[in-house]
Each structure stands twice: as C-alpha cells, then as structure tokens.
Amino acid sequence: MASKSAIRMLRPAANGLGPRLLRTEYARTAQYTPRGISSHASRPRKSTGDYQQQVRYASSEASKEQLGKTGLYELHSKYGAKFVPFGGYSMPVQYSDLSIVDSHNWTREKASLFDVGHMVQHHFSGPGAEAFLERITPSSLSTLPEHQSTLSTLLHPSTGGIVDDTVIARLPDRFYVVTNAGCREKDTEYFDEQLVTWQSEYPNQPVEWNILDGQGLIALQGPLSADILARVLEEKSVKDLESLYFGQCVFATIKGTDTEVLVSRAGYTGEDGFEISIPSYATEAITQFLLDSAKDELRFAGLGARDTLRLEAGMCLYGHDLDDTTTPVEGALSWIIGKDRRANGGFYGDSVILQQLKKKSEGGGVSRRRIGLIVEGSPAREGAEIVNEAGEKIGNVTSGCPSPTLKKNIAMGYIKDGMHKAGTEVSVVVRGKKRKAVVSKMPFVPSKYFKQPTTAKA
C-alpha cells in the first residue's frame, strides 16, 4: 500500500510549481556565454578513491576534492548502504539486506531501484539547439520524434573520438541530455568550447544550455518495474505508461500530488525499466513512496549489482570500454549513426567515421573492434591481454566479471579486426597464465526491453 506520509511530504513542497518545475523553474538557466555555467553544483567533483577497479557503473575518476552526495544519501544510510567514492560522489555499492549477487538476481527476477543522481542532466534549447547537437553527435536528431530518446556520443572535432556517451531525448520545447558523472569536468569544458565556436559562427541561432543542479534521477529496473511504477502514478499517467515503449519518455504526475516527473523507458541492465528525473524537493519522498508501494518486490541496489548487470547486457562503461581514442565504429556503436548522417555527414569527425564505415575494398574499416568474450577458469579483468594461438597480443580486456546469471566468466574488450567474429577461439592472459576464451555476441543475456511491435511487411 502506498505511503500516505510520503504523499503528505510532497504536497506542501510543490506549492503549485510541480508541473512546471522540471521544464523551467528548476533548471539553472543562462543564455550561453563562455564559462557561463559556474554555480557550485556544476563544478566537477571527483573521487578520492580508486574503487573503479572493482566496481564501475558510469565513468569514474579519482580526485582530492570533497565527495558530493545525491539527494538520496540519507535514505541510503537508512537502508544500510555501504558507500564508496565514485564519479565524484559517495555512492552506495551494496546494502545490508542483499549481497551483490543476490541484488543482481533480484533485479533479474523482480525489481531494483538504483540512485543515478550523480549523473549530469542538461537542457539544450533555443533556435540553434538541434543543429548544435547534430554537429557534436552523429545522431539524426532532426527526425527524432517528440518524447523519443536515443543513445549517442559526444565527438571530438577532428578525430571522431568519443568525448562521452550520452542519452538525448527530444521534449516539446528542448532537448534533455544525460552525461556521465565522471566526465563532468571534461564535458563542461567541451560544451563551453563548442558553444563559443557555435555562437561565433551562427550568432542568429542561439543555444541555451541549462544544467539541472540537484535534480534527482533514479532507475527502476526489472520485470516488475512497470507494475510498481503504475502504483504511484495518477490515473492519466498510468494510461500514458501503458503505451510507453523502450526509448520513449513522458511527463507523469505522482499520485496524490502535483509533482511532475520525467519518465523514460530505458535503463542500463537489459531489463525492462525506467529512469525517472525528479525535482530535488521531491526526490527522497518519491523514492520512499516507491519502496513502500512494493515492499516484497522492490529493493535498493548499488554499484556492485549495476556493474554485473550492465556487463551481462553488453553495455559500455565510459573510461573503460569507451574513451577519447575510440570512435563509434570501433566501439560497435555504428547503429547510433543516422542514415541521413551517413549520407550527408556534417558532424564532428565525419571524415574519419564515414571512411571507417566503408568496405575494406574501398579503403574503409577499422583495425580493432569491441567484442564480448566467454573466458574459462579465472575471470579476466580490465587490462588483461588477448592473445592468438602463437601467443601474440591481438587485443585487451576492458571489463570483466563472473556472470551471476550465466554462471560463466564474461568480459568485454577490443580485438584485432578479422578476429572479431563470434565463435573465434583465443586466449586471455590472467595472472600470467593463458586462459581459453571464445568471442561471443553481446548482450550475453538477452535483453527484455518493452519494444514497440514491428509491422510485418506484406
């Protein structure tokens, strides 16, 4: 049964601003000027630890600066979280009620709630927003329908290397963009520089860039997630949820309140699920409301389970599986490059990327490709060398772990072109010993996204 106390907490806080808050009031708004985004919350916060070697979710970097806390820090403590430095924040890695493996399995069987409030949420609006984002990404945003999102990458101008991976959604009056916490400083500098260049070249196409400081973001993941979310939404929002497919988003209202959230059917686990962007004043109350509404079906989950889930789902981790030297083609992300972008270019690094898309007979192709591996014996971790029968290095592992679902050791990495086909037998050097491995298609565990049915051709 839904928590009445949670509803009471939300009502007075909204003050009638809920429906407008996510779109307008809460974003720190500034017509773009060089270094125009400078509030304390937008400055980079980096980690003081090196836990990313064991548990990773979004890209993570070390720092001497004080760790930040998301709006759910106190709630995590209440539920027995163990915290680690990550992406500039003190983040829960697991909870006292479940081990990492148990939490992983709970997500696959029921539903888990992940705090991803350390991620950076942006709004880009104005007459030049679409063209600007199409310049710095390879996505076909001009044909992206309203309330639809796409995975994309921010690109370096000359090389086509990936600055960061991102999700971009078109809202009625702006674009909603989410970037990685560990790339906060780099991405801020990147947007600063590219917007300066844009405005100097296209002064009549201004772009307004807002960072949603303090905005909550939670990920509800698992086969029961849709039923659980429906319990806390107003009736009209429940109907909207029923017709929401993977990659789509909608504004929804929490039951008994005037608080509006942005619900995106998406996630990082391969399961059906949602990412919910929540105004800061309501983040803790809505999260508690969700937990109270499904006490036997929903649990908090931390970075430990998120890392094993995302690897089973074949999802990349920036700073490990993707970096500034990797292009979308090398990273097996060619599918994010729109059909019209392949034909017309017009995005950063297009000369490099479009050449890589061509056949080898036309001078195209790449020298390495991202692949999955099933490894015998001990699990292969980041940095392990992939070798051929003669013992020659042909690649390296970028992520690896034992798969709780498959009960096998899985890994992701890059391998020499020509050796990337599924079924190719190789070896991985683990602690000085060669372990047999076979190249595998990804995802390792079939995805269960709630996708729109395809219409069969006559």
Side-chain angles (χ1 to χ4, degrees):
M1 185 174 179
S3 167
K4 293 181 180 178
S5 61
I7 295 177
R8 285 197 296 270
M9 289 174 65
L10 290 174
R11 277 176 172 158
N15 292 326
L17 293 179
R20 301 197 308 273
L21 203 58
L22 182 61
R23 296 189 179 106
T24 306
E25 300 293 334
Y26 194 71
R28 174 171 37 73
T29 303
Q31 185 70 28
Y32 182 77
T33 56
R35 304 305 300 173
I37 303 302
S38 59
S39 76
H40 173 75
S42 71
R43 290 199 296 270
R45 307 181 184 96
K46 298 180 183 177
S47 165
T48 57
D50 59 357
Y51 197 83
Q52 66 269 26
Q53 294 300 318
Q54 289 77 40
V55 175
R56 302 160 303 175
Y57 154 46
S59 72
S60 47
E61 299 177 5
S63 171
K64 298 179 181 178
E65 296 182 24
Q66 184 177 359
L67 294 173
K69 295 179 180 179
T70 72
L72 295 178
Y73 182 86
E74 298 301 329
L75 193 58
H76 294 312
S77 298
K78 172 184 172 182
Y79 279 83
K82 176 183 178 182
F83 294 94
V84 296
F86 191 81
Y89 284 77
S90 184
M91 296 296 293
V93 64
Q94 68 178 99
Y95 297 81
S96 57
D97 61 338
L98 294 174
S99 69
I100 290 176
V101 171
D102 288 339
S103 184
H104 175 112
N105 293 333
W106 186 282
T107 309
R108 293 274 185 243
E109 296 167 7
K110 297 183 180 182
S112 293
L113 200 59
F114 300 85
D115 180 8
V116 288
H118 63 313
M119 306 287 276
V120 189
Q121 301 174 72
H122 314 252
H123 281 164
F124 288 87
S125 58
E130 179 185 291
F132 170 71
L133 291 173
E134 281 209 324
R135 184 185 209 184
I136 64 175
T137 75
S139 301
S140 296
L141 301 179
S142 62
T143 58
L144 187 68
E146 283 189 5
H147 297 290
Q148 186 82 34
S149 66
T150 180
L151 178 68
S152 191
T153 55
L154 307 177
L155 300 172
H156 283 291
S158 57
T159 65
I162 299 173
V163 178
D164 196 4
D165 59 327
T166 181
V167 174
I168 303 174
R170 181 190 283 276
L171 301 181
D173 58 349
R174 67 195 62 202
F175 288 93
Y176 170 69
V177 178
V178 181
T179 56
N180 284 312
C183 295
R184 183 182 297 262
E185 179 177 12
K186 182 174 73 167
D187 291 347
T188 299
E189 292 178 354
Y190 175 83
F191 287 132
D192 275 341
E193 293 170 359
Q194 302 313 320
L195 282 166
V196 167
T197 301
W198 176 265
Q199 297 293 194
S200 66
E201 295 178 10
Y202 303 98
N204 296 323
Q205 297 186 50
V207 177
E208 188 175 298
W209 168 33
N210 306 321
I211 294 177
L212 280 64
D213 287 329
Q215 185 85 359
L217 188 64
I218 57 175
L220 174 62
Q221 299 284 294
L224 303 182
S225 57
D227 290 340
I228 292 171
L229 181 56
R231 297 173 196 172
V232 303
L233 297 181
E234 291 284 10
E235 185 177 348
K236 180 184 181 304
S237 294
V238 172
K239 292 180 180 178
D240 291 338
L241 187 68
E242 291 172 352
S243 58
L244 192 70
Y245 293 104
F246 178 76
Q248 296 179 337
C249 57
V250 67
F251 286 100
T253 305
I254 301 300
K255 184 183 295 184
T257 79
D258 58 359
T259 301
E260 191 174 63
V261 298
L262 180 64
V263 176
S264 303
R265 200 150 200 167
Y268 200 53
T269 64
E271 295 292 333
D272 182 27
F274 307 87
E275 291 190 351
I276 309 167
S277 181
I278 313 172
S280 63
Y281 70 80
T283 302
E284 182 175 332
I286 288 176
T287 302
Q288 184 69 71
F289 193 10
L290 274 164
L291 291 167
D292 289 345
S293 72
K295 291 185 176 180
D296 296 327
E297 301 159 323
L298 182 63
R299 293 285 186 277
F300 261 136
L303 297 173
R306 195 160 180 84
D307 196 44
T308 55
L309 288 161
R310 71 94 190 169
L311 189 49
E312 287 187 347
M315 300 286 190
C316 295
L317 177 67
Y318 192 85
H320 303 270
D321 310 306
L322 300 172
D323 59 27
D324 296 280
T325 69
T326 310
T327 68
V329 182
E330 292 173 316
L333 296 174
S334 298
W335 58 270
I336 71 172
I337 306 169
K339 185 176 180 180
D340 60 320
R341 314 310 305 280
R342 294 173 184 240
N344 304 319
F347 55 88
Y348 281 168
D350 57 358
S351 61
V352 174
I353 292 170
L354 295 181
Q355 184 64 31
Q356 290 178 341
L357 288 172
K358 293 181 179 179
K359 298 177 181 179
K360 281 189 175 181
S361 59
E362 299 173 348
V366 293
S367 60
R368 59 173 186 156
R369 295 180 183 272
R370 182 171 65 92
I371 48 91
L373 291 167
I374 302 292
V375 183
E376 294 184 9
S378 301
R381 304 294 186 179
E382 180 179 2
E385 292 186 354
I386 304 171
V387 299
N388 61 17
E389 189 175 356
E392 301 168 329
K393 181 181 177 181
I394 56 172
N396 64 283
V397 171
T398 54
S399 291
C401 72
S403 164
T405 303
L406 300 178
K407 305 296 189 295
K408 297 178 181 179
N409 296 319
I410 60 175
M412 187 187 299
Y414 285 81
I415 201 168
K416 182 180 179 181
D417 183 57
M419 302 289 289
H420 65 281
K421 294 182 180 180
T424 301
E425 295 182 354
V426 295
S427 294
V428 178
V429 181
V430 180
R431 292 193 289 275
K433 183 176 181 180
K434 290 197 296 183
R435 303 283 184 179
K436 291 183 179 180
V438 61
V439 176
S440 173
K441 291 183 178 180
M442 294 185 287
F444 296 100
V445 175
S447 299
K448 301 174 184 176
Y449 303 127
F450 186 66
K451 293 187 176 182
Q452 191 166 7
T454 56
T455 303
K457 293 183 179 179

